[in-house]
Amino acid sequence: MLTTLVRNGTVVTAKETRSADILIEGERIREIKPGISADAAGTVIDATGMLLLPGGIDVHTHLDMPFGGTTSSDDFESGTKAAAFGGTTTLIDFAIQPKGTRMRDALDTWWKKADKRASIDYGLHMIITDLGEAGLEDMDEMVREGVASFKLFMAYPGVLMVDDATIFQALGRTAKNGALICLHAENGGIIDVMVKRAIAEGKTAPVYHALTRPATAEAEAVHRAVAMSEISGAPVYIVHLSSEDALNEVRAARDRNVPIFAETCPQYLLLSIDDLARPGFEGAKYVFTPPLREKNHPPKLWDGLKNDHLQVVSTDHCPFCFEDQKILGKDDFSKIPNGGPGIENRLQLLFHHGVNEGRLSLNRFVELVSTTPARLFGLYPRKGELAPGSDADIVIWNPNAEHEISAKTHHMRVDYSMFEGFRVKGNARTVLSRGEVIVDNGTFLGRTGRGAFLRREARGGAWK
Ligand code: URP
Ligand code: ZN
Ligand code: ZN
């Protein structure tokens, strides 16, 4: 069996930071301790001055997703490759059940999209649009297939939105089968009326995307989600939380021991409504949902991450090219495909603005981008940990590497960056996935199609 020794690095987990070597045997970590002999190792990688992190886990991506009259521009080949460059070795993407169809069909469709294309390991959530006659049994079938989480939308009426009865029924099922319900929490009815009113008044610029989706509409939906979790006894995971108002609802619920978890994304931590209000059509680059907020929100979200009111940072990577996709909404903001790119930059941005700028400890950083995602979504300790027996998904992280984020150099298949010109310190030097070096010093060494589908366990939120 192939053995690799990663020597002289600093091992960082959610719990501790220590100097140690990591011995890899085949696809797994065999041993972690200082001074492991190199004699028996086939390959030796020197990691002097480097941090050794468990591979990043991005639990919210949309690759090759039909949406808003077009399809997200990264597929599983380009998207997983870009993820690897940024130190993400696992992602969980969303399969969508079209209304009137069975979940099994959607799962087969997404397996086909990912199979022979993914270069890192991946899992799938199932987006439920219609429970129909057989939906509850279908949910159990999905869990048996390793699809241990479901997303339901409280927004996008007529497209993806389901009513409270559907969400409550689904929660009743996950209370029994142990899967996790993820909710897109915004009051879709109110937003729909506000959007139609704005368009009728000739308010068509990208900034109206935010002005028609108030933070109160997000907080109200989170409040409802909390109530449904409390009544059903099933845990709920709020995706892409964007505002202080919504965060307050999550915190209050957690203080009462309601099993609510929530993620935010780098864009909500680092950008604001001012980006949506950029001159001309430029703001379209920042049209995603929920929208960017006023500048008083991000500091509250950072506090939420530090104090465990928020548990995960994902990307909601859903790229659409500016030139030929965002343009669909040139005369009407409601027709701009919703979504933005970020799969490659999550660790860089969180390390620089979180760790370097003193907002997060190194261990909390690892917990947010890798360990808690693995625990919540049924992958731990195979993923999200550096320990004997875990997959050898290891990021050799250079804390001193300086990098300017730009569409000119990124690997995502999209013609702009939401973080263009951001200068970050800290970047992945070498990335290993199941013991194999897939990125080294800016060169992709992986293989398209090597990524494996991950059958995840349904843990029912009992993850601590
Ligand atoms: O604007 C976004 N977030 N697009 C992707 C779909 C979703 O709601 O997550
Ligand atoms: Zn969403
Ligand atoms: Zn999303």
Side-chain angles (χ1 to χ4, degrees), residues 99-112:
K99 279 193 202 323
T101 69
R102 302 290 295 268
M103 293 178 206
R104 152 70 44 196
D105 301 330
L107 183 59
D108 289 342
T109 302
W110 254 261
W111 272 342
K112 277 195 202 111

Side-chain angles (χ1 to χ4, degrees), residues 399-418:
N400 296 312
E402 299 200 12
H403 174 66
E404 181 170 317
I405 296 174
S406 173
K408 292 192 196 86
T409 51
H410 72 201
H411 302 86
M412 299 177 285
R413 192 192 286 156
V414 61
D415 58 358
Y416 76 96
S417 170
M418 294 197 289

Side-chain angles (χ1 to χ4, degrees), residues 295-345:
K295 282 191 165 137
N296 55 309
H297 292 262
K300 305 292 180 188
L301 300 182
W302 281 111
D303 284 350
L305 289 174
K306 184 174 175 184
N307 296 312
D308 201 35
H309 305 136
L310 298 169
Q311 291 71 45
V312 171
V313 176
S314 69
T315 59
D316 193 10
H317 177 75
C318 187
F320 296 105
C321 290
F322 182 65
E323 290 294 335
D324 58 1
Q325 294 184 292
K326 290 285 185 180
I327 201 75
L328 294 170
K330 184 97 186 76
D331 303 315
D332 176 348
F333 72 88
S334 70
K335 296 197 168 64
I336 300 170
N338 282 204
I343 204 166
E344 189 169 345
N345 305 124

Side-chain angles (χ1 to χ4, degrees), residues 4-10 22 24 44-55 85 87 89 347 386 393-399 401 426-432 437 439-441:
T4 302
L5 180 64
V6 184
R7 289 176 95 181
N8 305 324
T10 300
I22 302 181
I24 300 163
V44 177
I45 300 175
D46 182 45
T48 304
M50 303 289 135
L51 305 177
L52 307 180
L53 316 175
F85 275 105
T89 53
L347 270 63
L386 294 178
D393 292 356
I394 301 170
V395 181
I396 304 180
W397 185 264
N398 182 350
N427 205 355
R429 187 200 77 182
T430 308
V431 180
L432 292 96
V437 175
V439 169
D440 192 38
N441 280 312

Side-chain angles (χ1 to χ4, degrees), residues 239-320:
V239 295
H240 48 42
L241 186 140
S242 70
S243 65
E244 178 187 4
D245 313 55
L247 174 64
N248 289 341
E249 297 291 340
V250 169
R251 187 178 48 231
R254 288 176 62 83
D255 285 349
R256 289 189 288 118
N257 288 324
V258 183
I260 298 293
F261 307 96
E263 65 176 21
T264 191
C265 313
Q267 50 272 33
Y268 300 118
L269 295 165
L270 298 168
L271 305 175
S272 79
I273 190 170
D274 293 357
D275 292 297
L276 267 166
R278 287 181 186 221
F281 192 56
E282 192 77 6
K285 294 178 177 173
Y286 305 91
V287 169
F288 42 80
T289 309
L292 290 170
R293 306 296 184 186
E294 298 287 347
K295 282 191 165 137
N296 55 309
H297 292 262
K300 305 292 180 188
L301 300 182
W302 281 111
D303 284 350
L305 289 174
K306 184 174 175 184
N307 296 312
D308 201 35
H309 305 136
L310 298 169
Q311 291 71 45
V312 171
V313 176
S314 69
T315 59
D316 193 10
H317 177 75
C318 187
F320 296 105

Side-chain angles (χ1 to χ4, degrees), residues 55-58 61 63 75-93 114-123 343 346 382-383 393 431-434 436-439 444 446-454:
I57 302 177
D58 190 345
T61 68
L63 301 175
D75 63 11
F76 276 82
E77 179 171 354
S78 61
T80 56
K81 213 167 161 178
F85 275 105
T88 289
T89 53
T90 300
L91 58 80
I92 309 183
D93 203 80
D115 188 37
K116 300 191 177 59
R117 291 199 180 89
S119 56
I120 61 170
D121 293 350
Y122 65 95
I343 204 166
R346 183 178 61 125
R382 178 175 172 192
K383 306 286 190 190
D393 292 356
V431 180
L432 292 96
S433 164
R434 281 183 280 109
E436 198 181 321
V437 175
I438 57 169
V439 169
F444 183 71
R447 191 170 35 83
T448 296
R450 65 169 292 288
F453 174 68
L454 297 166

